[in-house]
Amino acid sequence: MRILFVFLFVLLANIQNGLSFSLDPAASTELEEFIKNDFTISLRHIRPRRKFRIALEALFMVDFPMARHKLSFYLDRQNKRITVDIQSNTKLYSKHLDALEIDEVSTIRSLAILFQPNSLTLYINCKEASKQEIDVNLSKLFANMEDPSVKMFRERKYPLHIDNSVENAMARANCHKPEKKKLMRKNLSEKVSKQKSKLYETEGSGSSEKNKKRDIRDRYLVNERYREERVEVKNNFARRGDIPILSGDCDESLVKAIGELKGVILSLREDVGKQRQEINYLRSLIESCHACNAVSAQIIQTCATHNPCFPGVQCHDTQQGMRCGSCPRGYIGDGINCRPGHTCADRPCFK
């Protein structure tokens, strides 16, 4: 029971810490200076809570004590949005700013909210996420108060800054560094190209003449190499002996070569036909050979593989073939076919 009580106490303490605000006098003074016009409130490096994950994480609260108005801002990682609780006198309602880029495990590098008359604009990681209309004009609310005062409460873990424009808030979050790097690279490339062009201009026409001579020399060398390659190819063709080279009037020699090829094909066809006839003749001899069949039968048919005897009759392998013994007692026959019967050996006669 005591352990359960301690656990509940720690849990309630964490929940209270997650949804609690602390007064920031310096931020309150800055807010009173910027609230007359558009202003931006930004936070940086909002890390996820690992222990006792809470649905809502407190960010900051703007309180108008004399006008009984409060705007409380909470981070809802599960639903990917910023919840704004607006309290006007006794009325309490909520607005939501969608932030699809956030999740439950990643750190938010920068979060900024632009306050304009009757509207809020959310920026997550240097990008505009969403915009929401509200029924409260903070500038008019502050100006219409008899004793204008505003209090800024914030979560102690996250540093909070107030700027008079979104650009200043983005610059504070180092959002424009990639663009500056691109601009520096572009300027550097332009400088290098200008220096190269100046260098070519100072060299004058002498360098161009040298380049022309060099180009002509290279072209001559390339042509010489091409000529040598062509000569080598011709020589290679002359060395081949499998294909005769025909020069001049080649009609008669071509007809002669075709005739010889035709004769060779006809002779090959005749040889193939004769071999086919011989193969068929040998096949017929083997199939009609009785001696081969007898030997194979004599070798294959044995008592162990083909026993022709009557059950119970002993089988003997001989040179003439398989031989069966006498039929069992009470049967008569040749040992292969036995039938019930009596013989004199059974002594059926009367004494």
Side-chain angles (χ1 to χ4, degrees):
M1 188 68 183
R2 185 176 181 181
I3 296 174
L4 180 61
F5 177 75
V6 172
F7 176 76
L8 292 175
F9 178 77
V10 173
L11 181 61
L12 291 174
N14 279 276
I15 294 174
Q16 185 178 2
N17 187 22
L19 298 179
S20 63
F21 297 102
S22 60
L23 179 63
D24 189 344
S28 301
T29 305
E30 291 181 358
L31 183 58
E32 290 180 356
E33 296 177 0
F34 294 118
I35 199 171
K36 297 177 183 179
N37 300 311
D38 298 345
F39 63 95
T40 304
I41 298 177
S42 60
L43 298 92
R44 296 177 60 189
H45 302 295
I46 304 175
R47 296 182 177 86
R49 297 180 183 270
R50 296 182 180 179
K51 297 182 179 179
F52 302 104
R53 289 188 177 178
I54 304 169
L56 297 178
E57 299 178 27
L59 297 177
F60 61 89
M61 180 179 66
V62 181
D63 183 16
F64 298 88
M66 302 302 296
R68 296 182 180 179
H69 278 73
K70 291 182 181 179
L71 280 80
S72 303
F73 293 80
Y74 301 94
L75 175 61
D76 189 355
R77 290 181 179 269
Q78 294 181 356
N79 297 317
K80 296 184 177 182
R81 63 189 182 185
I82 302 296
T83 300
V84 185
D85 291 343
I86 303 174
Q87 182 178 356
S88 176
N89 294 325
T90 58
K91 183 180 178 182
L92 179 63
Y93 61 96
S94 298
K95 294 286 185 178
H96 302 288
L97 296 168
D98 295 330
L100 302 179
E101 295 184 358
I102 64 175
D103 52 34
E104 297 182 3
V105 295
S106 61
T107 300
I108 301 174
R109 293 188 295 106
S110 64
L111 185 150
I113 299 177
L114 173 62
F115 290 81
Q116 292 175 322
N118 302 107
S119 68
L120 299 174
T121 306
L122 175 64
Y123 293 85
I124 297 291
N125 295 333
C126 305
K127 296 180 181 179
E128 182 177 349
S130 61
K131 187 175 182 179
Q132 183 65 254
E133 300 292 333
I134 59 175
D135 300 333
V136 181
N137 190 335
L138 301 184
S139 300
K140 290 184 178 181
L141 184 64
F142 182 77
N144 294 332
M145 295 172 60
E146 295 180 359
D147 185 10
S149 64
V150 61
K151 302 294 182 182
M152 172 62 71
F153 297 83
R154 67 177 180 87
E155 169 62 38
R156 289 170 292 180
K157 293 175 60 177
Y158 311 128
L160 183 142
H161 302 280
I162 303 174
D163 297 283
N164 56 358
S165 64
V166 180
E167 289 75 12
N168 294 338
M170 296 294 106
R172 189 188 299 275
N174 298 326
C175 295
H176 301 297
K177 277 190 175 181
E179 296 180 359
K180 289 183 179 179
K181 289 183 179 179
K182 290 181 180 178
L183 184 60
M184 291 174 64
R185 290 176 183 174
K186 185 178 179 181
N187 295 334
L188 182 60
S189 61
E190 290 178 355
K191 288 181 181 179
V192 172
S193 61
K194 288 180 180 179
Q195 290 178 359
K196 286 183 178 180
S197 61
K198 289 181 180 179
L199 181 62
Y200 292 149
E201 290 176 359
T202 54
E203 287 181 355
S205 61
S207 61
S208 61
E209 292 294 332
K210 291 180 181 179
N211 292 332
K212 288 181 180 179
K213 292 180 180 179
R214 189 183 297 112
D215 295 339
I216 294 171
R217 194 182 303 114
D218 293 340
R219 192 179 299 110
Y220 177 76
L221 293 174
V222 170
N223 292 334
E224 286 295 327
R225 291 173 186 171
Y226 178 68
R227 290 171 187 171
E228 292 177 358
E229 290 177 357
R230 289 188 64 185
V231 171
E232 290 180 359
V233 171
K234 288 182 179 179
N235 294 333
N236 290 335
F237 275 115
R239 295 191 192 98
R240 294 186 62 177
D242 54 348
I243 300 175
I245 298 176
L246 303 176
S247 60
D249 191 5
C250 60
D251 292 339
E252 295 180 359
S253 58
L254 182 61
V255 171
K256 185 178 179 181
I258 292 173
E260 293 177 357
L261 180 61
K262 186 176 180 181
V264 172
I265 293 173
L266 291 175
S267 62
L268 289 174
R269 182 180 295 176
E270 292 177 358
D271 293 340
V272 171
K274 291 179 181 179
Q275 291 178 3
R276 186 180 297 172
Q277 291 177 0
E278 292 177 357
I279 292 171
N280 292 332
Y281 177 71
L282 292 173
R283 182 180 294 172
S284 62
L285 286 178
I286 293 171
E287 290 177 354
S288 60
C289 179
H290 298 287
C292 297
N293 293 333
V295 172
S296 61
Q298 184 178 3
I299 295 172
I300 295 173
Q301 294 181 359
T302 60
C303 291
T305 58
H306 299 81
N307 189 357
C309 302
F310 188 78
V313 178
Q314 190 174 4
C315 179
H316 303 279
D317 291 324
T318 63
Q319 294 181 355
Q320 291 77 18
M322 294 177 290
R323 294 289 183 269
C324 297
S326 57
C327 293
R329 190 170 184 176
Y331 290 86
I332 57 175
D334 57 357
I336 297 175
N337 298 316
C338 297
R339 63 182 184 279
H342 298 283
T343 61
C344 293
D346 297 330
R347 296 180 180 181
C349 301
F350 182 75
K351 292 182 180 180

